[in-house]
Amino acid sequence: WVYIALMGAEGLRAATGALVSALGTCLRPVVLVSNEVGQGVVPASASGRRFRDAMGILNAQVAGVCDQVFFCTAGLPQRLK
């Protein structure tokens, strides 16, 4: 997160776009695991809220190019896509 914070908003958008593009054209199976930070308490700090928002955008964009998306709660996978 510190690396991305140093890149700034435009750098973050570029890095997110590059990852989404690479995943969209990848011919091999890829498994990604990400944290879901948007269902908890609203972070008290501005940087915590920026992190939460950035993770939400990244997760949504990555899910958009994936063939399958699962959400796991208490070890129980729920297929979203």
Side-chain angles (χ1 to χ4, degrees):
W1 175 247
V2 171
Y3 171 73
I4 291 180
L6 295 174
M7 293 171 52
E10 191 56 42
L12 177 58
R13 278 191 289 278
T16 298
L19 174 62
V20 169
S21 178
L23 289 170
T25 60
C26 186
L27 301 177
R28 298 279 192 183
V30 176
V31 176
L32 299 172
V33 178
S34 178
N35 57 341
E36 175 53 61
V37 296
Q39 292 191 328
V41 177
V42 175
S45 67
S47 63
R49 290 187 298 276
R50 282 194 305 271
F51 175 77
R52 176 204 58 198
D53 294 346
M55 284 302 302
I57 290 167
L58 175 63
N59 286 341
Q61 290 182 357
V62 166
V65 297
C66 290
D67 295 329
Q68 296 181 30
V69 178
F70 291 87
F71 184 77
C72 244
T73 305
L76 301 172
Q78 301 170 343
R79 186 170 183 167
L80 302 178
K81 178 179 173 184

